[in-house]
Amino acid sequence: MFLVRLLRPYRPTLPPNTPNLRLSLHTGASRPRPFHASLAPSEHDTPEVLMSKRRKLSDDSTTALAQNMSTPQAPTYGPHVQLELTPVEGILCRLLTDVAEYVDGSPTQHAADSELRLPDALAQSKVELRFTGGWVRDKLLGTGSQDIDVSINKMTGYQFGLKMKEYLAIPGNKQKYGLEEDGHVEAVSTVGGGPEDSGMAATADAGHKVTHRGLGGLHRIEANPEKSKHLETVTTKILGLDIDLVNLRKETYYDDSRNPQMEFGTPEEDALRRDATVNALFYNLHTLSVEDFTGRGFDDMEHKIIRTPMEPYQTFTDDPLRVLRLIRFASRLDFRIDYETERSMASNSIKAALRAKISRERVGTEIEKTLKGLYDTIFTDPTNDMPTAPDLNCWQQTYQFLHSTLHDADHSASSATNPRSRIQSMLIRGAEEAYLAWLLAALTPWANLQALPTGKPGRKKLQPMAATVAREGLKVNNKVLEVIVGACTNGEEITKLISDQEYSPEKEGTCLGIVGPTDRSALGMAIRRWGYNWRYHVLFALLLDLKRVGNGTQEMGNVLANYAAFLQHLEKLGILEAHLLKPLVDGNRLCQELHAQRGPWIKGALEVVMEWQLKHPDQADPQAAVMEVEKRRTQLGIT
């Protein structure tokens, strides 16, 4: 599990007054799920054997679950756990439980708008609401979350959302929670209230008002079993929080289908189908208690273990994306992955299912969450406190561009006019350049931040922030560091050079704009100034421009077309290797021809020689170059 070890650095810290987890989380005996070593997946298993093992495990798990449920057992509670809700979370809890009471008192239940059948016994019960998953886990770890999953025992998320809108449409109900007609909420702090007041305030400072977004629209996300998206969910915005509404569910798999039949389930059935025990802890909005229906969640929180509630091979077969999710959780929380769970993750059949069964969009979303969650942990200077945070806005545009360019570009002859193909053929020509391209993309969030002084006292010089992060956070070698320093130093000049004019690929040696250097000598001297790594510098400038324009398809297309035309312009001028040109005359020859002593003037004189060479690529007479220097004798200070 190299990726787990690579992304290990993040270490969450508990707040000073958090009770010891061993005392506050461990209550009651664990009820581990049954697991047979003989049924563990093997790399040498045939598909038929793997399926047989999976069905056997499913049967045993179902039998064990039935045995557990035959004698009613209360869920494992954590009576010493005190979850301190924020003021807005408190208002949300009150709103949701009031809607639940409204539903219970309604004369009819809205069973329409869903293909799920509500069991008769469940139809007679009251509505129960729980916060589930990551929000509970993060609360126990002392960190906040803006994303809350709300589970409902007897309604789909869409049905409950419609009832909530119906409830808030009743005159006077919005005002109960400070909701205004325009969908905003205002409330004044009541610091120091008792338990009944907990979470009812919207601010922490008395007398100050905070405005929050009210109830947003309901966005229904349909299930897609073919891509292992088995559950319909409804997302909305309430009081500025991102809320997912979903029913408790049970998944039943049959031999003739890889897609489960979805049914309303009990809290325990819902908990057992989740990806990790630490993500299967529930917060009951009616009892205000934390529930551990897997029997292992509290223990795994205490011992920092990531494991699946049920047998891991079956869990990953049901939804292979859980492999990536568990890697992300283990990395971000600094938890270790349980041995049997890790063993199943490495199964070839699971990896094949992840490759074929999960949509690239879901994989991309999961990887983006991993990178964003760990960015300022990996790409940082661990020896110093960073004075500012990296800018992650639209960062994904850089690596999405690289991925599509490196893997999707058409390399046929007809692709000569394709901007991506031209950019790849001229800037990313091999494996080494591809590696540095990904590294430069990873460093773009640091690119425009203030440079930091580096070096010994009295001899300090400013180094770009991205270079400091690469040197101290990734320990890159000097060759790579030189590329990064040059890219950051020259990036702004390159961006301005390209943006100040619109290069025309149709007109050789010309551009459509009139601002900035476009002739052979000016551009050639710029490449010589940028140095041997100039292609990386242009690529870095391109990545920054893509990040700057964000998601605009038209704007991105314009940026790519302009950079491709610029590179084509350089190619037509024949100056792609201008940094390797040797001057026709050296310093000694100039001293002899001009009857002058050596001095600082030689550096400027050699640049004049090179400018002349670039302007006259078809001439090779050294004497003509010397005469050009002679014309500028006074300007160069030659004595």
Side-chain angles (χ1 to χ4, degrees), residues 1 54 228 230-231 249 251 253 260 262 269-276 279 306-330 337 341 345 350 354 357-358 362-363 366:
M1 300 304 293
R54 177 187 172 189
S228 286
H230 305 310
L231 188 64
R249 85 278 191 187
E251 299 175 1
Y253 287 81
M262 303 301 300
E269 288 169 335
D270 188 272
L272 291 174
R273 299 308 306 164
R274 291 181 176 265
D275 50 17
N279 293 338
I306 294 292
R307 82 169 89 236
T308 57
M310 297 186 71
E311 195 280 320
Y313 183 80
Q314 177 178 345
T315 300
F316 296 139
T317 301
D318 294 347
D319 187 354
L321 190 68
R322 288 167 173 164
V323 171
L324 298 183
R325 286 174 56 81
L326 294 197
I327 290 174
R328 171 162 63 91
F329 294 135
I337 296 179
T341 301
M345 293 167 102
I350 295 299
L354 178 60
K357 190 176 180 182
I358 304 301
R362 291 187 70 200
V363 172
E366 195 60 40

Side-chain angles (χ1 to χ4, degrees), residues 254-276:
Y254 295 96
D255 289 335
D256 59 350
S257 175
R258 70 178 184 180
N259 299 323
Q261 176 181 327
M262 303 301 300
E263 306 173 41
F264 280 99
T266 66
E268 182 171 10
E269 288 169 335
D270 188 272
L272 291 174
R273 299 308 306 164
R274 291 181 176 265
D275 50 17

Side-chain angles (χ1 to χ4, degrees), residues 132 139 141 180 369 408 425 551 555 582 614:
T132 64
K139 276 290 184 181
L141 290 172
E180 297 181 339
K369 289 179 180 178
D408 301 335
S425 65
N551 297 317
E555 292 80 359
K582 301 290 186 182
L614 289 167

